[in-house]
Amino acid sequence: MLFSIITPTMNSAASLEETIRSVLDQSGVALEYLLIDGGSTDATLEIIKHHAAADNRVRWISEPDQGIADAFNKGIALAQGEVIGIINSDDLYEDGALSAVMDQFQADPDCDLVHGDMLRLEGNQPLFRMVPGLVAETIWREMPLNHPTVFVRAARYRELGGFDVTLRLTMDYELVLRYYRAGCRFCYLPRILARMRYGGASDNHYLAVRRELFQVTVAAGYPRWKAAGWYLRYAVAGSIKLLLRRTGMYSLMRLHPKFRPLSGDQS
């Protein structure tokens, strides 16, 4: 089983080296690594070129794009693997993540998508373990999966299409909702597969995220009045979560059922 791992980059020099190493150091799997750059002007391309020269698993392009969804789609179009994973340029895979995902796909050939738990970081400080929501119960009101932990069979991308380039913040949610509605089988792997830092666009623009999510669900046929109710509820919850983050009150954030305390064994 060949994995195609995609990382979009744009002036990502500060964190990219660590992300690349977390991919290339995965053991026990065959992989290709696709770095899709949007035209960086910092040291990003030097880092990419260094790794491409040293490791023939690395391929890259650098050209203007229409945003992160477009970069995702460019990577998918180039991918040669049977399974595709996407890891952003300031996130990391845990050691052994790809091997565990491969074992899950091989143990259950009917799986279309494998996903798992994720560590949330503030800088380099682990805060809590995020578990996914129950997909059937939460899919119409929030992104139930931890996107850096999501691995999809390439055949499903070819059948159902890639990411919606008209969306700026919720392209991953729209794709997961579309695949769920198409009957794809999601398989949960109860271990930490990736680490994700706070500070991305979805963390800092939670109201814009909720507006886009409202639009996506209504366009997919969800009742507008229900979507509006969830918009208001999550807008309030998002403002509270942001306040807790900015004041360092992580113990209160851990009261959320999706945020689990860290244990000595993080697998």
Side-chain angles (χ1 to χ4, degrees):
M1 177 179 288
L2 176 66
F3 281 79
S4 295
I5 305 301
I6 299 166
T7 294
T9 64
M10 184 62 184
N11 294 332
S12 306
S15 56
L16 182 58
E17 180 70 33
E18 193 176 11
T19 300
I20 292 175
R21 287 264 51 98
S22 81
V23 175
L24 297 180
D25 288 349
Q26 294 291 314
S27 60
V29 296
L31 67 88
E32 63 171 2
Y33 192 21
L34 305 168
L35 290 140
I36 312 300
D37 184 69
S40 292
T41 56
D42 65 355
T44 294
L45 289 180
E46 284 74 12
I47 295 170
I48 291 173
K49 290 175 182 178
H50 167 77
H51 284 281
D55 194 322
N56 61 13
R57 296 175 297 173
V58 177
R59 292 192 286 144
W60 63 278
I61 60 173
S62 181
E63 61 188 23
D65 56 43
Q66 300 176 53
I68 192 168
D70 188 31
F72 289 163
N73 289 340
K74 288 180 179 182
I76 292 166
L78 292 171
Q80 299 175 349
E82 181 183 347
V83 171
I84 297 176
I86 297 173
I87 188 84
N88 286 333
S89 59
D90 54 356
D91 301 331
L92 312 166
Y93 283 136
E94 288 287 284
D95 292 343
L98 299 193
S99 178
V101 171
M102 179 180 67
D103 290 346
Q104 180 67 38
F105 273 118
Q106 291 178 337
D108 191 345
D110 291 331
C111 279
D112 295 303
L113 181 155
V114 170
H115 65 103
D117 296 348
M118 178 178 75
L119 281 184
R120 262 300 207 172
L121 311 180
E122 192 73 74
N124 291 319
Q125 178 62 43
L127 298 178
F128 31 71
R129 176 177 185 153
M130 288 192 67
V131 299
L134 296 175
V135 177
E137 295 182 10
T138 63
I139 187 68
W140 287 103
R141 62 179 187 260
E142 65 176 345
M143 172 61 163
L145 311 185
N146 298 310
H147 190 243
T149 77
V150 170
F151 297 84
V152 181
R153 290 194 188 273
R156 298 287 81 79
Y157 279 118
R158 291 192 291 269
E159 174 191 355
L160 299 172
F163 294 86
D164 185 342
V165 298
T166 68
L167 298 173
R168 312 308 297 176
L169 297 166
T170 59
M171 67 291 293
D172 53 349
Y173 169 76
E174 188 278 334
L175 182 136
V176 167
L177 175 61
R178 179 163 25 103
Y179 282 27
Y180 172 78
R181 296 178 69 216
C184 287
R185 187 159 180 264
F186 296 3
C187 297
Y188 170 52
L189 184 58
R191 62 170 285 165
I192 296 171
L193 298 178
R195 298 182 174 215
M196 183 178 184
R197 292 183 173 94
Y198 274 114
S202 60
D203 297 321
N204 295 325
H205 303 284
Y206 63 93
L207 288 178
V209 169
R210 294 310 308 179
R211 284 193 293 270
E212 270 198 6
L213 196 143
F214 171 85
Q215 295 165 1
V216 168
T217 54
V218 171
Y222 195 62
R224 180 177 292 270
W225 67 271
K226 286 187 178 181
W230 288 118
Y231 170 85
L232 293 173
R233 177 173 175 176
Y234 278 88
V236 172
S239 64
I240 293 172
K241 184 173 72 172
L242 184 60
L243 175 62
L244 294 177
R245 263 193 64 220
R246 288 178 172 173
T247 55
M249 300 179 70
Y250 301 117
S251 60
L252 292 179
M253 293 178 68
R254 294 187 186 100
L255 297 176
H256 192 287
K258 289 177 66 175
F259 296 173
R260 305 290 174 82
L262 301 177
S263 62
D265 179 6
Q266 297 181 355
S267 65

